[in-house]
Structures are given as C-alpha cells and as structure tokens.
Amino acid sequence: MSASAYFQHTVAGPVIFAGIGLHTGEHVRIAVRPAAIDAGIVFVRTDVHDRDNRVAVKPEAVCQTQLGTVINNADDVRVSTIEHLMAALAALSIDNCIVELDGPEVPIMDGSSEPFVQILDRAGRRKQEAARKYIEILEPILVEEGDKRASLTPSDRFEVAFEIAFGSKAIGRQRVDLTVDEESFRAELSNCRTFGFLRDVEALRAIGLARGGSMDNAVVIDGDRVLNPEGLRRADEFVRHKALDAVGDLYVLGAPIIGRFEGVLAGHGLNNAVVRALLAQPRAWRLRTHALELAEAV
C-alpha cells in the first residue's frame, strides 16, 4: 500500500459531462466537484428546488435495488443507477466529492465504469491532510436468499469474487476472483458492460425501466447469441461486470474495505443486504486508519 493510500482524497478540480439514463432515458448533465475532508460522496439534484436536494451516499440511503442501486434522502429525493460511478470513485480512492446532476439518474455512458474513470482522470486527484478510514472485516458475514448468497470475510486486502450462471450459452457459468486495487480495476473490470436479455426489454420498459437502454450502453443477449455487432470485450465480461457492480455497491459504506467479498448469483439487492448485515454486527468489523496502524506497530 502506497503512502498516499493512507490519506483522504478529493478531485483536484471540477469536471463536467453528460449522457442519458439507462432506465429513465433522460438526458442528464453531471458536474463532479471537490469536497471537504470527511464530506463523503454527496449527490446534489440541481433540478430539485422545493425540497432538500442533497442525497448523501450511505448504506441506509439505498432505497431500491431493482436492476440498479437507488439512493434517497428524508424528502425522498432520489438518485438512480449510482453503482458504476461509485465503483470508479472507489477504485480511484476518491473519498470526498460533490456530484451535481440535473436529473434523477446518473448517465449510463457505455454501460461500464471506464468513461467515469477517464472523466475522473481529467479532473485529477488531490490529497487531503486527513487519514483515510478503512473498514476491516474481523468476522464472517453471510446473507443468503435461496441459492443466492453474498459474504464478507477477513482478508489483508480487498478481494472480490463473483460467480454467475445463466441458461443462455452466451453466458453459461462464469467466475472471477481478484484482488481489487486501482491498477487491477482499470485493467480487469472497468470496461466491462452491463447486460440484459432482449426478451425482457418490453416488460422492463412497461414498468419504467430500460427506457434508455441500447446496444450502445449494454450487452444485449437474444437466446444464445450476443447481438452487439462488436461482440464482447472479454469472454467473461458478464461476471466481471457483476464484480464491478459489487465494488460500487460496497462503497456506499463510505470507506474502502479490507476484506473479501464473495457473491454467488447475487445482485444489487444482496450486495446491499450484506452491507446492512455487516453494520448490524459491530463486532464483525472496525475502522482502521494509518494512524492506528502506526500506533499498533509501536
């Protein structure tokens, strides 16, 4: 771990971009701006004027997990599909920033985290004179739902393992197991896109989802075929995207994890469930900082 990893970081300057929402189909403009020490990640809905428009990222703010992670505040102001941006912020060690947006959903971009990584690279990163907090897993935490499960177990680094299984031969059974840091996230996960089945599109649009979805921002599967003309970016792009989602969903904790996450047939719902289960067991984790490590070494 480099010395800079012991300090909090924010973006060095503001950066602005735009795109459409995967589910709403609405065009949204985003500005990511620096924030103070210990501010965390805060979304600000600039299109909302009659209520509190600030939505702080925290586990209890997650209010919906159907095909994406949605957060809200006490006035029920919502921000949807935050996970791909959150994964990029986690990987690039951005602890504190303000994310202003003039609509209800973070743009989907190309369906992966890579555009967000590139945008944050343009903004740059600034070290802050405060210790970075880490959540160290001390005891195993497991949540299960039928044959689906998600767990957090002790490790001396942040590891993510994921396994999926689909009847479509385009996917089948896939597994990935990685130590996740900035380098491995950029190289192994960041460009892996979200995916969906053509058969589900009309039903999803009927309930207000996937209205902005297309082959420009998702891998689309029809039976046993990938419909995207360019094909897959990796043979196991599907499971790697699930791991990417988990990185973003876990970062709602407000601090990076020292521990191992494992998801089997899981999704946003179980990712958030294991986060809440962890917080419900205070003896299963502790906050670590560089200062604490130095003190223990003396």
Side-chain angles (χ1 to χ4, degrees):
M1 184 180 292
S2 66
S4 65
Y6 296 125
F7 293 91
Q8 293 183 32
H9 289 81
T10 188
V11 289
V15 63
I16 296 171
F17 62 99
I20 64 166
L22 174 63
H23 295 305
T24 62
E26 294 184 20
H27 187 271
V28 180
R29 188 170 181 267
I30 297 261
V32 182
R33 304 187 186 278
I37 289 168
D38 291 330
I41 311 298
V42 180
F43 287 85
V44 179
R45 286 278 304 274
T46 60
D47 60 319
V48 174
H49 305 289
D50 60 339
R51 292 169 288 164
D52 179 10
N53 66 353
R54 296 173 63 87
V55 187
V57 175
K58 49 190 176 181
E60 59 270 28
V62 176
C63 61
Q64 188 175 315
T65 53
Q66 183 182 17
L67 299 180
T69 296
V70 183
I71 56 173
N72 70 352
N73 63 14
D75 288 337
D76 200 29
V77 172
R78 298 188 174 208
V79 180
S80 304
T81 321
I82 67 169
E83 59 272 13
H84 302 165
L85 174 57
M86 289 296 295
L89 291 168
L92 271 60
S93 301
I94 302 297
D95 303 274
N96 309 303
C97 71
I98 303 295
V99 182
E100 298 176 351
L101 67 168
D102 63 359
E105 185 177 16
V106 175
I108 189 62
M109 311 305 280
D110 74 345
S112 77
S113 283
E114 189 170 55
F116 297 118
V117 169
Q118 294 168 346
I119 287 160
L120 292 169
D121 283 344
R122 292 206 314 266
R125 185 173 62 181
R126 176 168 58 84
K127 187 180 79 171
Q128 298 174 295
E129 295 303 320
R132 190 172 207 217
K133 302 177 181 70
Y134 290 81
I135 292 173
E136 182 184 17
I137 307 301
L138 302 176
E139 298 176 5
I141 295 290
L142 172 67
V143 293
E144 296 180 289
E145 190 178 285
D147 58 352
K148 304 174 183 178
R149 68 179 186 271
S151 64
L152 287 165
T153 53
S155 176
D156 60 359
R157 59 181 64 87
F158 181 39
E159 300 173 348
V160 173
F162 220 103
E163 184 175 337
I164 60 172
F166 286 85
S168 168
K169 292 178 182 176
I171 305 177
R173 183 173 291 275
Q174 299 182 359
R175 180 176 174 83
V176 67
D177 195 330
L178 291 171
T179 296
V180 179
D181 54 22
E182 180 176 345
E183 182 179 359
S184 66
F185 184 85
R186 287 178 183 271
E188 304 288 345
L189 299 180
S190 69
N191 72 340
C192 295
R193 297 162 293 175
T194 192
F195 61 93
F197 292 89
L198 185 64
R199 66 173 184 261
D200 298 330
V201 170
E202 289 307 316
L204 290 172
R205 288 178 176 169
I207 60 172
L209 298 175
R211 292 179 176 176
S214 72
M215 284 187 283
D216 291 331
N217 53 40
V219 177
V220 181
I221 303 142
D222 184 18
D224 294 327
R225 296 184 302 127
V226 171
L227 296 184
N228 302 59
E230 75 279 11
L232 297 175
R233 294 176 175 175
R234 300 170 184 269
D236 60 351
E237 184 171 1
F238 305 102
V239 74
R240 287 175 184 266
H241 182 78
K242 286 287 196 176
L244 182 160
D245 278 344
V247 172
D249 286 342
L250 293 173
Y251 203 44
V252 302
L253 282 162
I257 289 173
I258 301 173
R260 177 179 174 84
F261 169 85
E262 186 157 358
V264 177
L265 313 182
H268 300 294
L270 274 186
N271 293 347
N272 187 247
V274 80
V275 163
R276 291 174 182 256
L278 177 70
L279 295 181
Q281 297 290 334
R283 288 187 295 184
W285 60 281
R286 66 170 173 172
L287 280 178
R288 295 284 304 267
T289 67
H290 183 39
L292 177 60
E293 289 179 341
L294 285 177
E296 288 182 341
V298 172

